[in-house]
């Protein structure tokens, strides 16, 4: 009998492999990018195929300055829209690591990167609960709508803290659950693959971030998102 975590991960990989492999992303991705608050000037210069594959839940770079960042990581990068935007804000010679555990998404992320960029985008296959990156090697960790899919959230935040250098930042958009869900939803590995089952109450999310060793934790920007609430998360490793 497979563990709960491996059943959920199998469903998540199946769902995102299908979306990316068959290019069956839900319609309206470009509109969702603008509604989420991404700069319209940037969106105009971005291929519609990249905009159309967006599966995030908010504008990731609000008030984020990347001018002194050498290494950034986007956890659960999906089809690569945020990695492309992050690269466009980093100094020449910097690196953005686009990490996902679904190979087909990494193909999309590779296609989505700007071939003329002076910042390297490195697609990396890995699980955010066990990152294939060394301790203290990253300046900033991003994640858009992916922590909710982690089956072990404390492990995912612990790993984010481990790879960050002291003073490094965590910037994420994700979803929290502020109402009870029926037991059938919570006990179905399929529902966890669509975020609904995986999103946790805000206090549980904050606790996982705190226990991982982050400080200056802010969870704000609450916006209704289907049955859930989308939030912006920022935190710092060791002040
Ligand atoms: C909702 S999509 C968001 C994609 C992207 N961040 C965006 O905003 O378009 C979540 C992504 O997280 C990836 N993912 C889910 N669980 C993961 C894990 N444990 N480790 C790495 N990637 C994971 C999925 O493969 C998927 O591409």
């Amino acid at each position: 009998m497979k563990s709960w975590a491996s059943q959920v991960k199998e469903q998540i990989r199946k769902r995102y492999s299908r979306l990316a492999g068959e290019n069956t992303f839900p319609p309206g991705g470009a509109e969702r990018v603008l509604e989420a608050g991404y700069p319209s000037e940037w969106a105009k210069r971005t291929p519609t195929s990249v905009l159309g594959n967006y599966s995030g839940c908010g504008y990731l770079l609000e008030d984020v300055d990347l001018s002194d960042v050498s290494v950034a990581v986007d956890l659960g990068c999906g089809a690569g829209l945020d990695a492309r935007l992050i690269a466009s804000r980093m100094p020449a010679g910097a690196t953005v690591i686009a990490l996902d555990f679904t190979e087909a998404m990494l193909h999309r992320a590779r296609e989505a990167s700007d071939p003329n960029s002076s910042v390297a985008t490195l697609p990396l296959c890995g699980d955010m609960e066990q990152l294939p990156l060394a301790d203290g090697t990253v300046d900033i960790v991003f994640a858009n709508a992916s922590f909710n899919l982690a089956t072990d959230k404390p492990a995912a935040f612990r790993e984010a803290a481990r790879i960050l250098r002291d003073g490094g930042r965590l910037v994420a958009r994700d979803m929290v659950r502020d109402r009870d869900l029926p037991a059938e939803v919570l006990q179905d590995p399929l529902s966890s693959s669509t975020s609904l089952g995986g999103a946790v109450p805000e206090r549980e999310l904050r606790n996982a971030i705190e226990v991982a060793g982050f400080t200056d934790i802010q969870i704000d920007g609450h916006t209704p998102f289907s049955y859930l609430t989308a939030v912006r998360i920022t935190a710092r490793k060791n002040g």
Side-chain angles (χ1 to χ4, degrees):
M1 174 77 179
K2 281 185 190 157
S3 69
W4 166 258
S6 55
Q7 287 181 61
V8 171
K9 281 178 202 252
E10 196 176 303
Q11 292 294 345
I12 294 171
R13 280 209 187 85
K14 222 186 247 177
R15 173 176 154 79
Y16 288 101
S17 296
R18 200 174 48 241
L19 286 181
E22 298 170 7
N23 216 352
T24 48
F25 289 89
E31 290 76 16
R32 281 197 305 281
V33 169
L34 293 177
E35 277 161 22
Y38 283 76
S40 56
E41 280 311 309
W42 174 79
K44 271 185 211 150
R45 298 192 306 270
T46 304
T48 45
S49 56
V50 177
L51 300 173
N53 297 350
Y54 177 61
S55 309
C57 63
Y59 174 41
L60 204 50
L61 294 193
E62 191 182 327
D63 299 331
V64 179
D65 177 15
L66 296 179
S67 57
D68 64 346
V69 167
S70 304
V71 182
V73 177
D74 184 15
L75 300 178
C77 66
L81 175 131
D82 283 320
R84 183 184 170 108
L85 175 61
I86 292 162
S88 76
R89 301 278 179 87
M90 292 170 79
T95 301
V96 52
I97 299 169
L99 180 134
D100 206 286
F101 76 172
T102 306
E103 287 279 4
M105 279 295 182
L106 290 174
H107 286 299
R108 295 282 168 211
R110 207 170 274 120
E111 287 168 1
S113 66
D114 179 353
N116 301 316
S117 175
S118 57
V119 168
T121 298
L122 299 182
L124 179 64
C125 192
D127 189 325
M128 68 174 112
E129 294 168 37
Q130 213 175 350
L131 290 170
L133 292 165
D135 297 3
T137 49
V138 168
D139 300 304
I140 187 161
V141 169
F142 290 104
N144 199 339
S146 32
F147 277 120
N148 71 84
L149 295 168
T151 52
D152 183 345
K153 289 174 185 48
F157 287 111
R158 217 166 37 238
E159 281 293 89
R162 181 184 64 74
I163 63 167
L164 277 171
R165 63 166 171 78
D166 278 352
R169 288 174 285 166
L170 170 70
V171 176
R173 292 278 182 172
D174 221 301
M175 285 154 274
V176 293
R177 172 158 65 82
D178 42 23
R179 64 180 102 167
D180 288 338
L181 290 174
E184 313 84 81
V185 172
L186 295 173
Q187 286 161 10
D188 180 355
L190 190 61
S191 75
S192 289
S193 77
T194 61
S195 304
L196 189 58
V200 294
E202 184 171 326
R203 64 176 182 288
E204 194 175 325
L205 187 73
R206 180 180 287 277
N207 189 50
I209 300 169
E210 226 167 65
V211 168
F214 285 101
T215 56
D216 298 341
I217 302 165
Q218 307 263 9
I219 301 180
D220 52 25
H222 295 68
T223 312
F225 197 90
S226 188
Y227 290 98
L228 301 167
T229 300
V231 292
R232 176 173 191 265
I233 303 161
T234 54
R236 196 171 280 280
K237 177 176 175 183
N238 298 338

